[in-house]
Amino acid sequence: MRRILLLALAALFATAAQAASPARTPLTPQDKADIARAEDYLNGVTTLKARFLQVSPNGSSVEGDAYLSRPGKLRLQYDPPSPLLVVADGSFLIVHDSQLGEPSYIPLGSTPAGILVRPGVKLDGGDVTVTRVVRQPGVVRISVVEAEDPAAGEITLVFSDKPFLLRQWQIKDAQHQVTTVSLYQAQSGLSLDSKLFEFKNPKFTAPTLNTGN
C-alpha cells in the first residue's frame, strides 16, 4: 500500500516527460470568461482548510486534511495509518513517508500544485496554457499545462458553478495516469498556524558542538 501511495504522489506532484502534448482547444469568449472567474477566485483565496479524498490511478484511495495559505503554502496531512505528509513551505514541496526514509524536496515551481499557491494566478498566458474548458451541469473544468513543456503533465481544476468554488483537481502525468484530489467540508478565510507549513525531519539530529571542554 505504501508503494501505491508513493506512486500516486509522484503522479500528483512531480513533473514527468516523454508523452504527446495535449491538444489545445480554441478558447471561446465563454471559456475566457470562465478562466477569468477561476483566476479571480484563486487570487481571492487567502487560507483554506478542507477534508480531502485522493484517488490513485489504480483506484485506491486515502483521506486526510488539506490546508492552504496563499501564497506558497500547502499541507496535505494523510489520515493514519498512512505514513505520508506533503508540505509546501513557500520554496519546496516536501513529500515525506515516515516509514521509508528521507523526505523528497521538489522545487515548488516545477510541480502542478504550484499553480494553486503562486502569488498571482494566471491560468492562460505566461508559463502556463489552458488546453480546454469544459462546462457540465453545475461544474466548470479548466485544464492547464506548462507552456514550455506541455507533455510534462496536465492539471485540471474542477469548480462548482454556483457558488464558484474549487472542488477538485486532477493530475494527468506523462503516461496519462490520473490522480484525483476532491475537497469537501471546505472552510476559507480561517487563521491557520504558520507551523502547519514548516517541515522538520524527525530523523535529523543536530551535530554535537565541540566546546573544547
Side-chain angles (χ1 to χ4, degrees):
M1 174 60 75
R2 293 199 304 272
R3 176 175 174 79
I4 291 171
L5 291 175
L6 284 174
L7 289 173
L9 283 172
L12 183 57
F13 295 118
T15 55
Q18 298 178 353
S21 303
R24 177 183 169 104
T25 302
L27 299 177
T28 68
Q30 182 62 60
D31 293 339
K32 294 177 181 179
D34 285 331
I35 292 168
R37 291 172 72 196
E39 292 171 343
D40 289 345
Y41 166 78
L42 292 172
N43 286 318
V45 172
T46 54
T47 60
L48 183 143
K49 176 184 178 183
R51 291 287 293 167
F52 73 86
L53 171 67
Q54 178 178 308
V55 180
S56 303
N58 67 353
S60 65
S61 64
V62 63
E63 294 184 81
D65 292 306
Y67 303 89
L68 177 69
S69 180
R70 299 187 65 257
K73 309 294 180 64
L74 174 72
R75 182 185 182 96
L76 297 182
Q77 176 110 26
Y78 291 77
D79 289 346
S82 171
L84 293 172
L85 172 67
V86 175
V87 177
D89 63 2
S91 299
F92 292 95
L93 191 133
I94 303 137
V95 180
H96 184 231
D97 183 322
S98 62
Q99 297 181 6
L100 290 186
E102 291 301 311
S104 298
Y105 288 78
I106 305 168
L108 189 56
S110 69
T111 70
I115 293 176
L116 298 174
V117 296
R118 58 178 50 184
V121 177
K122 185 171 177 57
L123 297 178
D124 194 50
D127 61 340
V128 294
T129 300
V130 172
T131 54
R132 63 189 177 280
V133 178
V134 177
R135 281 173 293 279
Q136 299 167 324
V139 174
V140 177
R141 302 167 57 90
I142 301 175
S143 298
V144 179
V145 297
E146 293 182 14
E148 293 187 357
D149 190 11
E154 182 180 66
I155 181 170
T156 297
L157 304 176
V158 182
F159 300 88
S160 60
D161 190 15
K162 296 179 181 180
F164 197 85
L165 299 171
L166 179 65
R167 298 298 190 186
Q168 184 183 94
W169 63 82
Q170 298 174 338
I171 301 294
K172 180 188 292 184
D173 69 12
Q175 287 71 46
H176 301 284
Q177 299 293 303
V178 177
T179 299
T180 300
V181 176
S182 300
L183 304 178
Y184 60 99
Q185 298 177 4
Q187 304 174 68
S188 60
L190 303 176
S191 177
L192 298 178
D193 189 340
S194 61
K195 292 183 178 179
L196 286 168
F197 310 105
E198 298 174 0
F199 177 77
K200 295 181 179 179
N201 188 347
K203 293 187 176 182
F204 174 78
T205 302
T208 302
L209 297 178
N210 185 353
T211 61
N213 296 330

